[in-house]
């Protein structure tokens, strides 16, 4: 049995479709603000593997609540990883491109120096370091720009705004790889299988959709596929200030994941087709 931390998030919801036999823990089952409870949940369920698909994702609010964000994103994953290491079971932890400073234009490699520019990024980096320090068979999967038919994400925001307005101003100097949550879920399961076969494949990997695109370019594709006539005005991130700074360069080099596990970058445009179809089916 696979134990998944997270139940209502985007990736957790997709994991429920791909791994129906897994056990999913929401906050009532294991509150990440209580790291000891997370370790105890692993001990109680005695799974063969663990995926942490839960996190503090309120990027801007983390600027004023960094201690709590770090407890949830940093300390709790470390407690999970130590319990998994003690039981010699594989552990997959989802991280983010926000651990980098966003400089340059080259895709970030897993071994590049980190340098988060936000409290959220620092909290996620703390989690990565704690997972590595546990010493078990683990995979840290850094991803970016997650979207699905579930929860709050850029696609759903653009569909809502696009139905209300004829024109939108959208950031064009932040570039990354939009990533369907369904593909992240499949990648997590692929990593678990790989770790079970060969624990020496443990490490940090990148996984993001292709091709890389700006937020403005992503929005244009959303509107085109949805049949919405919306004029997109490209602006700089500096013209849309937020409490937390976002990386300008969120490109991720995903070659190591393909070489080690045969997991290739998904075409996010195809994933978008599926998400829009799912949303349309839900409306009808």
């Amino acid at each position: 049995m696979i134990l998944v931390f997270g139940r209502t998030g985007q990736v957790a919801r997709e994991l429920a479709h791909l791994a129906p036999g897994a056990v999913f823990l929401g906050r009532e089952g294991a509150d990440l603000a209580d790291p000891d409870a997370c370790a105890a949940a692993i001990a109680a369920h005695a799974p063969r593997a663990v995926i942490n698909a839960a996190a503090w994702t309120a990027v801007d609010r983390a600027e004023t609540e960094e201690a709590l964000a770090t407890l949830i994103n940093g300390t709790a994953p470390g407690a999970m990883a130590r319990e998994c290491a003690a039981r010699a079971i594989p552990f997959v932890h989802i991280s983010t491109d926000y651990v980098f400073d966003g400089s340059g234009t080259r895709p970030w490699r897993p071994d590049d120096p980190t340098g988060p520019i936000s409290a959220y990024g620092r909290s996620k980096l703390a989690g990565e370091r704690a997972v590595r320090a546990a010493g078990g068979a683990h995979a840290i999967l850094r991803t970016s720009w997650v979207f699905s038919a579930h929860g709050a994400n850029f696609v759903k925001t653009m569909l809502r705004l696009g139905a209300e307005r004829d024109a939108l101003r959208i950031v064009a100097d932040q570039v990354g790889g939009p990533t369907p949550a369904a593909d992240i879920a499949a990648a997590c399961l692929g990593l678990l299988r790989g770790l079970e076969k060969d624990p020496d494949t443990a490490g940090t990997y990148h996984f993001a959709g292709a091709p890389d695109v700006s937020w403005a370019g992503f929005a244009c594709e959303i509107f085109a596929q949805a049949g919405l006539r919306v004029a997109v005005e490209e602006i700089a991130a500096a013209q849309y200030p937020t409490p937390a700074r976002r990386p300008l360069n969120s490109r991720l080099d995903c070659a190591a994941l393909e070489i080690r596990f045969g997991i290739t970058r998904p075409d996010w445009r195809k994933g978008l087709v599926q998400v829009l179809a799912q949303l349309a089916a839900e409306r009808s």
Side-chain angles (χ1 to χ4, degrees):
M1 177 266 291
I2 298 172
L3 182 65
V4 179
F5 285 88
R7 192 178 64 190
T8 59
Q10 296 187 79
V11 176
R13 292 280 294 272
E14 298 296 343
L15 280 166
H17 291 295
L18 297 177
V23 171
F24 293 81
L25 297 179
R27 186 174 298 175
E28 71 287 349
D31 188 346
L32 269 68
D34 184 353
D36 290 340
C38 296
I42 296 172
H45 287 278
R48 66 175 176 85
V50 175
I51 297 173
N52 180 29
W56 171 297
T57 56
V59 175
D60 288 326
R61 191 152 57 91
E63 293 298 309
T64 55
E65 299 183 54
E66 185 167 357
L68 180 57
T70 302
L71 180 66
I72 291 171
N73 289 344
T75 310
M80 297 175 198
R82 287 190 295 275
E83 187 66 27
C84 288
R87 293 172 175 274
I89 59 175
F91 178 61
V92 171
H93 174 65
I94 300 172
S95 191
T96 173
D97 62 284
Y98 279 54
V99 300
F100 296 112
D101 65 13
S103 60
T105 58
R106 176 179 64 77
W108 295 98
R109 293 189 290 258
D111 59 351
D112 279 334
T114 52
I117 56 176
S118 67
Y120 169 74
R122 290 190 292 272
S123 74
K124 294 296 288 185
L125 182 58
E128 289 189 6
R129 289 171 170 166
V131 169
R132 292 188 196 100
H138 71 276
I140 295 167
L141 188 67
R142 292 179 181 145
T143 190
S144 63
W145 299 19
V146 183
F147 71 92
S148 70
H150 316 295
N153 58 69
F154 185 77
V155 171
K156 295 177 74 175
T157 298
M158 289 300 101
L159 292 174
R160 175 176 56 82
L161 294 177
E164 299 169 352
R165 306 179 192 176
D166 296 326
L168 289 169
R169 302 169 75 239
I170 303 176
V171 171
D173 59 350
Q174 293 174 348
V175 177
T179 317
D183 291 296
I184 298 172
C188 287
L189 294 173
L191 283 167
L192 281 185
R193 289 191 293 270
L195 287 170
E196 287 176 328
K197 291 179 182 177
D198 183 5
D200 288 339
T201 56
T204 302
Y205 299 93
H206 289 174
F207 182 69
D212 293 324
V213 68
S214 69
W215 286 116
F218 188 16
C220 288
E221 182 66 19
I222 294 167
F223 298 142
Q225 288 199 21
L228 294 171
R229 296 177 63 86
V230 181
V232 173
E233 178 187 349
E234 297 187 352
I235 64 171
Q239 295 174 263
Y240 187 75
T242 55
R245 293 173 60 199
R246 269 70 170 172
L248 293 180
N249 176 24
S250 288
R251 301 170 181 88
L252 295 177
D253 185 329
C254 306
L257 189 67
E258 182 173 1
I259 293 169
R260 282 272 183 110
F261 296 93
I263 299 172
T264 58
R265 295 182 69 180
D267 186 330
W268 60 263
R269 295 165 299 189
K270 294 180 179 178
L272 180 59
V273 171
Q274 297 171 349
V275 167
L276 293 179
Q278 188 174 351
L279 288 170
E282 291 175 358
R283 288 194 298 270
S284 62

